Amino acid sequence: MVKITLSGTSLISVQCGVGILTVLHLHQASSVDTGQAALILVASQGAGVAGRICLAAWSDRSRSGRYAVVLVCMVAVIAGLVVLMTPAGRAPIVASGVFVWLGFFGFGWYGPWVAYITEAAPPGKTGFALGLAMSVNQIAIVTVPPVLGLLVDLTSSFTPAWVLLSLLTVVALAVTAEAELRTRRRVSDHSTDPHQHG
């Protein structure tokens, strides 16, 4: 459960980062007018609404399980953040597209993640597992914005903020993928164990 919570913490951190830094990045790094930058933020949030619907529907139908959708979201978020760290990420069209992309995956992950927790929770502990995971997320929601703002202020660059968010997501991806592989191996070994049959 701790490892599943980690994936949520990294993704909620990205969501906070996109929410508070999109307009600033577009205006300061990409020289986009503040009004247009605000519209891109709105488009990003609209993409997040679409992401929550589409990704949840996909996770309901995916044979690979809920984790596969959460995994795709983490990979997509890392890819978007990496682009923002490059010179291309300062081009207005590229940056705008990336923020819409991050909106879809960086906001849309929530439904599949909640379903993943409920399915992975021990019997009778679903409420506790959800409460714990969401409490940790609330801590990230409170602490991440000032940390990102401080990073940007101290370095006069958005790159360190994007680096921090991508590192958080890479660590969460590595830890949760390893845990998921171990769980699937255990289930596979259990199902093929001859002592478990007849």
Side-chain angles (χ1 to χ4, degrees), residues 145-195:
V147 169
L148 295 178
L150 186 63
L151 265 178
V152 173
D153 286 347
L154 290 176
T155 62
S156 299
S157 171
F158 294 95
T159 302
W162 304 134
V163 168
L164 176 62
L165 292 173
S166 61
L167 284 176
L168 278 173
T169 312
V170 166
V171 169
L173 176 63
V175 171
T176 56
E178 188 267 337
E180 183 72 11
L181 280 173
R182 211 168 46 235
T183 301
R184 290 192 179 199
R185 231 180 262 125
R186 254 199 323 268
V187 170
S188 175
D189 291 346
H190 182 77
S191 63
T192 57
D193 186 347
H195 300 294

Side-chain angles (χ1 to χ4, degrees), residues 22 30 32 40 49 56-57 70 74 79-80 82 86-87 91 106 115 119 125 131 139 145 169 189 196:
T22 295
S30 303
V32 175
I40 300 299
V49 172
V70 177
M74 286 192 281
V82 167
T86 68
E119 291 174 0
K125 300 283 187 183
I139 294 170
T169 312
D189 291 346
Q196 299 295 327

Side-chain angles (χ1 to χ4, degrees), residues 48-119:
V49 172
R52 290 208 172 183
I53 296 167
C54 297
L55 293 169
W58 178 29
S59 79
D60 286 343
R61 293 162 177 74
S62 173
R63 293 182 180 180
S64 303
R66 308 278 185 191
Y67 177 72
V69 181
V70 177
L71 174 77
V72 166
C73 289
M74 286 192 281
V75 171
V77 158
I78 293 165
L81 292 170
V82 167
V83 172
L84 290 178
M85 295 176 218
T86 68
R90 291 191 291 274
I93 292 175
V94 174
S96 299
V98 168
F99 284 120
V100 172
W101 170 273
L102 287 172
F104 186 86
F105 292 102
F107 290 39
W109 60 275
Y110 194 71
W113 179 76
V114 169
Y116 181 38
I117 291 175
T118 59
E119 291 174 0

